[in-house]
Amino acid sequence: MENQFVKIASLIGDPTRAIVMWTLLDGKAFTATELAITANTSPQNISMHLTKLLDAGLLCVEKQGRHKYYRFSNKETAYAIEAMASLIPPAAPEKKKNEQNSPIKHCRTCYDHLAGKIGVAVTESLLQQEIILNLDTKFEISPKGEKWFSDFGINLEDLKRQRRIFLKPCLDWSERKNHIAGSIGSSLLDKMLAEDWLRRTKNSRAIQITGKGEKELLKYFKIVV
């Protein structure tokens, strides 16, 4: 186990591979060329790095036509990368003041779920309303929550049948608090996007909150944007 951990840590710790993993948190698949540009390296070098990540089972590749697309092999890998970012030391007071209005810190995606200040606020609201419960550092849906999610238009039974984590806390790297991950977190984000509460931003993980979204976030979660 120790040797395996050292191997994984060394793979992720390489600067080029770390940039690749951070880029893939966008939730989209990228070609080797796109990742080479992001990491500011050559096609030959990025190919070597991608092969190592594939061999370790951290990434998978899909071929469509003439192109190959790389993504995380599973969602748990993405959650681990996001959690690692919480180890970044807090910004100095003067720098933190300048970053308060940063779109990426205010509202963003964390792979397939909502993160940032708004993601954490949604989670805290669900906890305060006892829609979800924090039990021994684990999140669970309360009986009240089962009805709430049904009324909200999310079928919990369908989500439980998925071969993935149902509900878990995910440490937010910018807020240093938990937001919701798992199929519940993914469904909440999908619902908010489908209902036009939120809109994706081109070439960024930052999420825009619409006028409708401001009203609905206040109605359902008591969040003032």
Side-chain angles (χ1 to χ4, degrees):
M1 181 66 72
E2 180 180 341
N3 291 337
Q4 291 175 325
F5 177 78
V6 170
K7 180 180 179 182
I8 294 295
S10 64
L11 279 169
I12 297 174
D14 176 88
T16 298
R17 292 192 287 271
I19 292 173
V20 168
M21 303 292 271
W22 186 254
T23 301
L24 291 176
L25 275 178
D26 193 27
K28 298 183 295 186
F30 289 80
T31 65
T33 299
E34 291 170 331
L35 292 171
I37 293 172
T38 301
N40 193 27
T41 190
S42 67
Q44 295 78 11
N45 193 43
I46 201 69
S47 178
M48 178 270 291
H49 287 295
L50 290 173
T51 296
K52 289 187 176 182
L53 292 171
L54 286 168
D55 290 344
L58 298 177
L59 301 186
C60 63
V61 61
E62 301 172 0
K63 188 173 183 180
Q64 293 186 11
R66 298 171 56 188
H67 299 287
K68 291 182 179 180
Y69 293 88
Y70 296 84
R71 64 172 71 246
F72 287 121
S73 58
N74 55 65
K75 299 178 188 298
E76 286 65 43
T77 302
Y79 300 161
I81 298 300
E82 174 81 7
M84 286 177 62
S86 66
L87 299 175
I88 298 172
E94 61 272 14
K95 185 177 180 181
K96 189 173 183 179
K97 183 177 180 180
N98 295 330
E99 293 180 347
Q100 284 181 346
N101 296 322
S102 168
I104 202 76
K105 291 187 175 183
H106 183 67
C107 188
R108 67 176 182 277
T109 55
C110 171
Y111 193 58
D112 64 349
H113 55 270
L114 195 62
K117 182 178 179 180
I118 299 301
V120 168
V122 167
T123 301
E124 292 183 338
S125 175
L126 293 174
L127 287 167
Q128 289 169 3
Q129 297 181 64
E130 296 185 344
I131 292 168
I132 62 173
L133 306 174
N134 190 351
L135 304 176
D136 296 327
T137 70
K138 294 182 180 180
F139 285 167
E140 291 186 9
I141 306 291
S142 68
K144 175 183 177 181
E146 292 180 2
K147 182 179 186 306
W148 187 92
F149 278 104
S150 177
D151 293 342
F152 195 68
I154 293 177
N155 190 315
L156 296 182
E157 293 305 314
D158 285 348
L159 298 184
K160 289 176 181 178
R161 285 192 287 268
Q162 295 181 6
R163 298 182 61 182
R164 60 168 297 184
I165 293 174
F166 176 64
L167 173 63
K168 65 166 287 184
C170 181
L171 187 59
D172 194 283
W173 64 263
S174 58
E175 292 296 307
R176 311 291 166 136
K177 299 178 181 179
N178 287 323
H179 57 245
I180 293 175
S183 57
I184 288 287
S186 178
S187 295
L188 280 170
L189 175 59
D190 289 344
K191 176 76 172 179
M192 293 178 185
L193 289 168
E195 296 292 333
D196 197 36
W197 297 15
L198 308 175
R199 293 176 187 170
R200 295 187 185 275
T201 303
K202 187 177 181 180
N203 300 323
S204 173
R205 286 203 284 145
I207 291 287
Q208 177 186 358
I209 302 172
T210 66
K212 178 182 179 181
E214 291 182 6
K215 295 177 182 178
E216 300 298 337
L217 287 171
L218 178 60
K219 174 183 175 182
Y220 285 95
F221 305 103
K222 307 298 187 293
I223 296 173
V224 178
V225 178

